[in-house]
Amino acid sequence: MKRLIALLTAGVMIALLAGCRKQEASAQIFAMDTVMGVTAYGGSAEKAVKAAEEEILRLEDMLSRTDPKSQVSRLNGSDGAAVAVDEEIVSLIREAGTYSQATGGAFDITIAPVVAAWGFTTDTYQVPEQADVDALLAAVGMEHVTLAESQVTLERGTEIDLGGIAKGYASDKLEAIFEEHQVEHGMVELGGNILLIGSKPDGTAWRLGVQDPAKPNEAAYAAIVQLEDAFAVTSGSYQRYFEQDGKTYHHIIDPATGRPADSGLTSVTVVTDRGSGSGTMCDALSTALFVMGEEQALEFWRGSDYAFELILVTEDGRVVVTKGLEEALMETKESGYTYEIVS
Ligand code: ADP
Ligand code: MG
């Protein structure tokens, strides 16, 4: 009995010591054309953050559209020939294909040449002629992509752009790294792609601010939601755009028209619980549902097998939130938006 008590006490001591010495680590990384933040508490937080940085750079090397040495660039320059690539990228392309199919083509990584024609790949923006866009659209569609175990063939003229899914995929890889290093609380912010591990270290929920699309350069929020153990990904027309002749053109292209999606939305946030969905899923769906617009997006939400919730911000000043986030939603009175819960 005495021994048991001694053991118990030792157990408590270790727990207390661990409590005092909870590791904390964070890093800021510039990659994938955006600023990324990684923060971890508990477990081997320092190792986790280091590994996360390395992983982000590894993925950038593999998936970049602008680095001529990346596997994506090799595929895009293949001129119709089969190219040997890592199995990892084959399965990511395969997964992208499933989102394409599920969203009726609203999400489509083969939109790449059209994205480039608008100048979004190289930041040399221009409004292309519709005839040129139409010609490019002939090579858009996953039917132009053939996958083997570690080989990809793109038909001549077809290119891929994983920009609509890469950061979400990176957040999934970071989730695995944080788990491996027993991180207890953490936050990963990859340019609009959020991963939350546990609660905040003080035990309260993380507060996620949904950027007010009307004030892209201010700390202004259209909504705030309280979340734990979740992925949340935002796609918005305010994230990358240019102006010409008084008109604004943004970077999310409707594959049906080859033009920036004009769906009445200014941002779409897709939220899922860790375990129910992935960062990759949220990233693909946020892009796709932005293309679809409010009505179709809500219809998709109601009918989909994917487990997720939505925060839509509309051009006409509404924030539309699906039922599952009702409790989590903190309306921001100063925002000027009106709030609607839909089911
Ligand atoms: P961000 O990259 O700003 O986080 P998204 O996840 O919404 O935003 O992805 C937009 C990027 O995806 C574009 O910059 C482009 O590279 C690519 N893209 C644009 N339109 C589509 C589309 N309809 N389907 C798939 N990818 C797209
Ligand atoms: Mg996306």
Side-chain angles (χ1 to χ4, degrees), residues 14-316:
I14 289 166
L16 281 176
L17 278 175
C20 300
R21 290 215 203 116
K22 198 170 268 188
Q23 270 190 23
E24 184 184 333
S26 65
Q28 249 202 11
I29 306 140
F30 188 82
M32 299 185 181
D33 216 15
T34 188
V35 182
M36 302 185 161
V38 178
T39 307
Y41 305 86
S44 310
E46 279 173 31
K47 278 191 188 149
V49 168
K50 186 108 204 12
E53 280 185 85
E54 281 165 14
E55 179 64 3
I56 288 169
L57 297 177
R58 184 187 74 86
L59 291 173
E60 175 163 52
D61 277 354
M62 178 165 78
L63 304 176
S64 166
R65 251 202 101 185
T66 46
D67 173 358
K69 293 192 302 295
S70 78
Q71 297 194 48
V72 164
S73 294
R74 277 181 33 228
L75 284 171
N76 287 341
S78 62
D79 200 28
V83 177
V85 287
D86 293 349
E87 274 174 45
E88 182 179 5
I89 195 165
V90 177
S91 52
L92 184 57
I93 295 172
R94 186 171 292 119
E95 186 173 354
T98 65
Y99 297 121
S100 205
Q101 197 158 29
T103 62
F107 181 82
D108 194 329
I109 57 170
T110 64
I111 196 67
V114 182
V115 174
W118 287 88
F120 288 111
T121 315
T122 48
D123 295 349
T124 47
Y125 306 127
Q126 55 173 347
V127 178
E129 296 290 332
Q130 190 60 41
D132 295 337
V133 168
D134 289 341
L136 296 173
L137 283 175
V140 171
M142 289 303 287
E143 67 276 17
H144 304 290
V145 180
T146 309
L147 302 176
E149 199 179 340
S150 53
Q151 179 178 293
V152 177
T153 315
L154 303 181
E155 281 175 22
R156 191 165 291 145
T158 298
E159 294 183 18
I160 58 166
D161 179 345
L162 295 170
I165 208 172
K167 285 174 277 177
Y169 180 66
S171 71
D172 289 330
K173 303 302 268 183
L174 266 48
E175 181 192 31
I177 288 172
F178 275 27
E179 270 176 10
E180 188 189 321
H181 291 92
Q182 274 115 40
V183 169
E184 293 163 46
H185 313 273
M187 172 155 89
V188 169
E189 219 267 88
L190 313 177
N193 289 239
I194 309 281
L195 159 64
L196 303 171
I197 306 279
S199 63
K200 284 198 292 188
D202 68 6
T204 62
W206 299 95
R207 286 181 177 202
L208 179 87
V210 175
Q211 179 67 43
D212 181 349
K215 298 172 185 160
N217 302 314
E218 291 171 40
Y221 303 107
I224 295 174
V225 279
Q226 295 186 294
L227 298 172
E228 290 180 20
D229 278 315
F231 290 97
V233 177
T234 301
S235 285
S237 47
Y238 61 91
Q239 285 167 337
R240 190 177 291 246
Y241 62 90
F242 67 95
E243 277 165 10
Q244 190 172 307
D245 303 329
K247 274 206 69 179
T248 308
Y249 302 93
H250 62 79
H251 69 145
I252 302 172
I253 305 293
D254 182 349
T257 62
R259 306 182 65 78
D262 186 12
S263 65
L265 296 176
T266 50
S267 88
V268 172
T269 301
V270 177
V271 179
T272 194
D273 289 330
R274 284 179 63 208
S276 307
S278 68
T280 310
M281 175 195 90
C282 290
D283 202 359
L285 293 184
S286 70
T287 306
L289 301 195
F290 186 95
V291 170
M292 288 185 191
E294 178 179 354
E295 214 171 299
Q296 263 195 62
L298 291 175
E299 212 172 288
F300 183 86
W301 170 73
R302 290 189 188 101
S304 174
D305 288 336
Y306 297 118
F308 66 94
E309 301 294 333
L310 289 175
I311 303 165
L312 309 177
V313 185
T314 70
E315 262 167 20
D316 59 6

Side-chain angles (χ1 to χ4, degrees), residues 2-16:
K2 227 182 194 165
R3 194 152 150 220
L4 191 64
I5 288 170
L7 268 178
L8 278 175
T9 324
V12 171
M13 284 278 290
I14 289 166
L16 281 176

